[in-house]
Amino acid sequence: MVSPENFVIWVIVAVVLAELVKNVVYDPVVFGGVVKLHPLVMVIGVLGGAILFGPVGMLLAIPTIAVGKVFISSTARQLKAYGLI
């Protein structure tokens, strides 16, 4: 299957598949466990980041989701402490 003529194509296919598995399977499970978010939220976030901002969006999706989660949870905790909600 692999010959000197199509070696470059197979290398590109292997790299693309490795990145796809990393971004869709590995990162959401590992980072989702660390940030304590469901892996499906991570997958949707990475895909949404990729659709909206391309590769940079994929890289920044998980940190953005984590910051948003911390901001929302701390805001809700403070509002409850002051009896506003």
Side-chain angles (χ1 to χ4, degrees), residues 11-84:
V11 168
I12 292 170
V13 168
V15 169
V16 167
L17 285 175
E19 283 296 315
L20 185 64
V21 168
K22 177 185 159 284
N23 287 329
V24 174
V25 178
Y26 179 72
D27 282 350
V29 172
V30 171
F31 289 129
V34 170
V35 183
K36 293 182 178 43
L37 287 173
H38 194 274
L40 186 60
V41 172
M42 304 306 277
V43 169
I44 292 171
V46 169
L47 290 176
I51 290 170
L52 293 174
F53 302 110
V56 174
M58 289 176 74
L59 291 173
L60 297 177
I62 295 173
T64 303
I65 292 170
V67 168
K69 178 190 176 229
V70 169
F71 178 75
I72 290 170
S73 66
S74 65
T75 302
R77 188 174 45 249
Q78 292 298 320
L79 289 174
K80 284 181 184 178
Y82 286 109
L84 297 173

